[in-house]
Amino acid sequence: MLQNHLQLTCNTMSTHTHLSAAESLITAQGGRVTRTRVAVLEILLAADQSLTHDEIGLALAEQGIKHDRVTLYRTLDWLVESGVAHKMAGDDRARRFGVAASGPHEHAHFHCDRCGKVVCLEGLQPAVAVNLPGGYQLDRAELVLHGACPTCGKGA
Amino acid sequence: MLQNHLQLTCNTMSTHTHLSAAESLITAQGGRVTRTRVAVLEILLAADQSLTHDEIGLALAEQGIKHDRVTLYRTLDWLVESGVAHKMAGDDRARRFGVAASGPHEHAHFHCDRCGKVVCLEGLQPAVAVNLPGGYQLDRAELVLHGACPTCGKGA
DNA sequence: GTGGTTTTGCAACATAGTAGCATTTGTGCC
DNA sequence: GGCACAAATGCTACTATGTTGCAAAACCAC
């Protein structure tokens, strides 16, 4: 899980010009580098799976970063809008967020039906664009695979 | 308030042995044939797209069928549990429901990003089961295509 | 440091879905 | 047809998720 080392990631005022990956991404999008944005993005970058708003909020709290529920929603929305993160709807009614590491919208997700975890499968590209009925214009395809993740599969 | 036309759509007690498709489906699942279930299922059968809980409730009201929000949730849940209908999460936070006409879980959906409509594409089968990382067990694949439906595409 | 704009935090609201329980309604049986 | 019993409904209240408006604070350029 996430450590709570409290390692004072607030280096926006430091004399070093050292920029973390998160900070670079944010400035590249023309946004201001704020405590919340950096922390949220770092959490997403460090995570190997999609996280819900709630999970991210919890991680923020563990790092001692004070934040508001609404701010987190807006931060996540901004990240999605900027193309840095992507949003996806699961079977439960909570949306999950992850960093869009590869192409803009071209990767599949795996949803574990037992533990509810969602991971990104970068290597998979759905072979669609096939027999779509006439008149439909395809923008992007979203592929969600359901089943058991390695952890849950072993237990069975 | 609700009209009191009370047009007695109750044909479960009629002398005919005429059973609608909806009624047959319900009894086949070992469920009771109730006003709400028959009406909901007929609405879903008649629809050429997935409907939200809200849209179904509206359709029920238009037919003068008194119902409760909670009952509708439970009815839909029962239909999904019985395998008669299927549930899918869209980009908005409302779940959509449709009848599972073909196989149990093996068809794709098309989501129109302009009008929000969701239709079932029975003919499409995602060609997955490919390079899934080791340890993952695949149960089913859910493919959602995003783009413009024929109606919205023409306008562009 | 100062000023101006972006973000945040707060409170209140809105929507989607769930839980418990008393009442009603289908259904099998006589 | 009438009865009994379980399933389904309807009601109220509640939780969870997400949104809006606005004043205060933080960020960044100068």
Side-chain angles (χ1 to χ4, degrees):
Chain A
M1 287 302 280
L2 293 164
Q3 273 80 349
N4 40 3
H5 279 172
L6 279 202
Q7 51 189 72
L8 272 270
T9 54
C10 175
N11 42 11
T12 58
M13 304 297 286
S14 84
T15 50
H16 300 73
T17 47
H18 169 77
L19 283 183
S20 72
E23 289 168 355
S24 309
L25 270 168
I26 292 170
T27 44
Q29 299 303 325
R32 288 189 178 172
V33 178
T34 67
R35 222 181 7 156
T36 314
R37 275 187 190 165
V38 175
V40 168
L41 194 43
E42 275 174 355
I43 288 167
L44 286 179
L45 284 168
D48 60 338
Q49 54 176 287
S50 299
L51 300 173
T52 62
H53 164 274
D54 213 47
E55 290 165 340
I56 298 169
L58 197 64
L60 279 180
E62 278 177 2
Q63 292 185 20
I65 295 179
K66 179 195 168 198
H67 69 285
D68 185 72
R69 226 163 49 88
V70 180
T71 301
L72 184 47
Y73 276 116
R74 288 197 272 233
T75 302
L76 289 168
D77 279 347
W78 181 83
L79 287 173
V80 171
E81 224 172 89
S82 308
V84 177
H86 62 86
K87 178 168 67 174
M88 56 161 308
D91 273 356
D92 46 359
R93 81 190 113 137
R95 300 174 190 170
R96 287 168 177 276
F97 298 85
V99 280
S102 64
H105 289 107
E106 278 298 335
H107 69 277
H109 295 100
F110 185 91
H111 179 109
C112 177
D113 289 331
R114 310 196 195 176
C115 65
K117 258 177 45 171
V118 176
V119 297
C120 295
L121 303 171
E122 303 290 349
L124 272 179
Q125 297 248 1
V128 283
V130 275
N131 46 348
L132 198 56
Y136 287 93
Q137 293 170 15
L138 183 63
D139 275 355
R140 61 193 173 89
E142 195 183 331
L143 180 62
V144 184
L145 305 178
H146 290 259
C149 70
T151 315
C152 296
K154 270 172 195 154
Chain B
M1 288 291 281
L2 291 166
Q3 274 79 351
N4 38 6
H5 279 171
L6 287 200
Q7 54 189 71
L8 276 269
T9 54
C10 174
N11 46 6
T12 58
M13 304 297 285
S14 82
T15 49
H16 300 74
T17 46
H18 168 76
L19 282 184
S20 73
E23 289 170 353
S24 309
L25 270 169
I26 293 170
T27 42
Q29 299 303 324
R32 290 187 178 173
V33 178
T34 67
R35 220 179 10 155
T36 314
R37 273 187 190 165
V38 174
V40 168
L41 195 42
E42 275 174 354
I43 288 167
L44 286 179
L45 285 168
D48 60 338
Q49 55 176 284
S50 299
L51 301 172
T52 61
H53 164 274
D54 214 46
E55 291 165 340
I56 298 169
L58 197 65
L60 279 181
E62 278 176 3
Q63 294 183 20
I65 296 180
K66 180 194 168 198
H67 69 286
D68 185 72
R69 224 164 51 87
V70 181
T71 301
L72 184 47
Y73 276 115
R74 287 196 271 234
T75 302
L76 289 169
D77 279 347
W78 182 82
L79 286 173
V80 171
E81 223 173 274
S82 307
V84 177
H86 62 87
K87 179 168 65 175
M88 54 163 310
D91 273 356
D92 47 357
R93 82 191 113 136
R95 300 175 189 168
R96 288 170 176 276
F97 298 85
V99 281
S102 64
H105 288 108
E106 279 297 333
H107 69 278
H109 294 102
F110 186 90
H111 179 108
C112 177
D113 288 330
R114 309 196 195 177
C115 64
K117 259 176 46 172
V118 176
V119 297
C120 295
L121 303 172
E122 302 290 352
L124 273 180
Q125 296 250 0
V128 283
V130 271
N131 46 348
L132 198 56
Y136 287 93
Q137 293 171 15
L138 184 63
D139 275 356
R140 62 192 173 91
E142 195 183 330
L143 180 62
V144 184
L145 306 178
H146 290 260
C149 69
T151 315
C152 296
K154 271 173 196 156

